Amino acid sequence: MNRLRLLTSGESHGPALTGILEGLPARLRIDTEQVNHELWRRQQGYGSGKRMEIEKDQVRWTAGLRYGATLGSPVGFEIANLDWPAWEKRMSPEPVPLADQPKAITRVRPGHADLAGAVKYDTDDVRDVLERASARSTAPRVAAGAICRALLAACGVEIWSYSEQMGAIRAFPDAVDSLDAVPEGWWKRDRVAPTPLRCPDPDAEARMIAEVDAVKEAGDTIGGGFVVVAEGMPIGVGSNAEWDTRLDAQLAGAMMGIQAVKGVGIGLGFGVIERRGTGMHDEVIPGAPSWRRRTNRAGGIEGGMSNGAPIVVRAAVKPVATLLKPLDSVNLLTGEIDKAHIERSDVAILPRAGIVGEAMVALVLADALLTTFGGDTIDDLVAAVRMRRERSRGPRGERRPHGEGEVL
């Protein structure tokens, strides 16, 4: 990110998770209840493990806010791990005599960070790796994303998501694009009272729930795909000037940073493979209050820049690596074949992964707005966005020749 910078720290079973978000404009109003609501959303969903029943995530501000508004300085926050007392001896930051330390985890899990991390950090205890690799580390990202949602909302941008597919079961299977079949206003209901898997197709969701039950009974896990939609982005945010300034590249990188995400697409994503150009590109038509498109197959981004249509990001989530019926693996100490370690985990993370996806999209889009428009205060940013929207209204008419302008 160019304007914003997010740093997080904390282990899954440590005392707390912490975050610092730098680069926000001053005087942005932050509603703590809304931030906590996003943290609550991250903990919902059918197929979640016992950990979600223990933690009741709440944000505690440590810096950067006064009277409910940002100061322009870095915003610091903390999310306590309520499970910490049960893990204090196993995760103590202070030295513990070897005789009092728990047995080391030496059986690595295929699909997890265990083996690569153990080699990288030269450790014989995989817990040194898995604690930070855990999806628990997404909690501070969701809190930071909630802050960015407030900035985006001030600029007229809303973000929502839904579960599109679980295993072989797809929402709205008869639709070319499932997004086109999502009932109007569904996402507003989802934010308040989500269904078990956050799928807008009730028939598909019922079959998904049955599939989760079957997978759990088999001691297995299951993945799927979710969609994140951002509506209201002004035209021209992002850049075509360099590969790393492209808005779609930044979104793809942020989404791939979510644990278990193995594929990302913008708009139709991998669906573009089977299309010809005439069936792919979105025709431009005039219309109030700005230029419009007949379709949105590009997912709101062309040439690395927002084109005014809703931004659509798709992500594929692999099955969780911890299995109740573990796969064959190796023991780090003996080098022999052994069954993989079993850690407390989930059967399906899809409904919660979409919430993390919303947060990551919010972080990237907030950073992109600030990079494009600047602003020391939220009012500065809103005014600059409003000016861009005015420029985007209808035919441009005559403009000054290239290079002609006032000399300052």
Side-chain angles (χ1 to χ4, degrees), residues 67-356:
Y67 302 143
T70 56
L71 298 172
S73 52
V75 172
F77 56 91
E78 177 181 276
I79 301 167
N81 284 326
L82 299 185
D83 207 19
W84 163 244
W87 289 78
E88 190 167 358
K89 289 185 178 180
R90 282 176 281 182
M91 290 298 298
S92 173
E94 299 297 334
V96 174
L98 186 60
D100 294 335
Q101 293 180 14
K103 184 179 179 181
I105 298 174
T106 59
R107 295 172 294 132
V108 299
R109 292 166 293 174
H112 213 286
D114 296 355
L115 179 57
V119 172
K120 177 179 177 66
Y121 297 114
D122 191 23
T123 179
D124 293 330
D125 189 347
V126 176
R127 185 157 299 285
D128 293 348
V129 178
L130 67 84
E131 282 288 325
R132 182 59 183 172
S134 166
R136 179 73 181 144
S137 68
T138 61
R141 280 181 262 173
V142 169
I147 297 171
C148 290
R149 292 179 86 112
L151 182 148
L152 292 168
C155 297
V157 181
E158 293 283 355
I159 295 176
W160 55 282
S161 70
Y162 67 95
S163 298
E164 182 175 46
Q165 185 168 343
M166 177 170 282
I169 304 169
R170 185 176 182 273
F172 308 111
D174 296 330
V176 175
D177 185 344
S178 68
L179 180 57
D180 295 335
V182 176
E184 185 176 355
W186 174 88
W187 66 273
K188 294 181 180 179
R189 299 189 295 274
D190 171 69
R191 286 185 58 80
V192 178
T195 58
L197 290 174
R198 303 189 53 250
C199 178
D201 180 346
D203 292 337
E205 183 170 59
R207 287 184 285 121
M208 290 177 181
I209 290 173
E211 183 71 3
V212 172
D213 291 340
V215 168
K216 183 177 181 180
E217 181 68 23
D220 215 333
T221 58
I222 190 169
F226 64 84
V227 181
V228 180
V229 182
E231 299 181 283
M233 279 293 286
I235 296 176
V237 176
S239 173
N240 65 333
E242 288 287 356
W243 63 272
D244 60 344
T245 61
R246 295 174 65 94
L247 185 58
D248 43 5
Q250 294 173 349
L251 285 166
M255 298 298 277
M256 285 296 291
I258 301 172
Q259 285 88 331
V261 169
K262 299 298 283 186
V264 179
I266 306 297
L268 292 182
F270 288 93
V272 305
I273 295 172
E274 60 193 34
R275 290 176 177 267
R276 295 184 178 183
T278 51
M280 172 63 210
H281 303 299
D282 305 307
E283 295 179 302
V284 185
I285 57 176
S290 181
W291 306 109
R292 301 174 68 84
R293 305 295 178 121
R294 295 189 191 278
T295 55
N296 187 26
R297 298 162 185 148
I301 300 177
E302 292 173 316
M305 298 171 287
S306 58
N307 65 14
I311 292 175
V312 180
V313 185
R314 284 182 159 85
V317 179
K318 70 177 183 178
V320 173
T322 299
L323 306 175
L324 293 179
K325 293 184 178 179
L327 298 172
D328 284 343
S329 187
V330 297
N331 189 308
L332 289 174
L333 292 184
T334 66
E336 298 177 350
I337 292 179
D338 204 341
K339 290 297 182 181
H341 170 68
I342 299 176
E343 188 83 0
R344 182 174 56 188
S345 188
D346 306 314
V347 175
I349 62 170
L350 182 62
R352 296 192 286 121
I355 305 303
V356 181

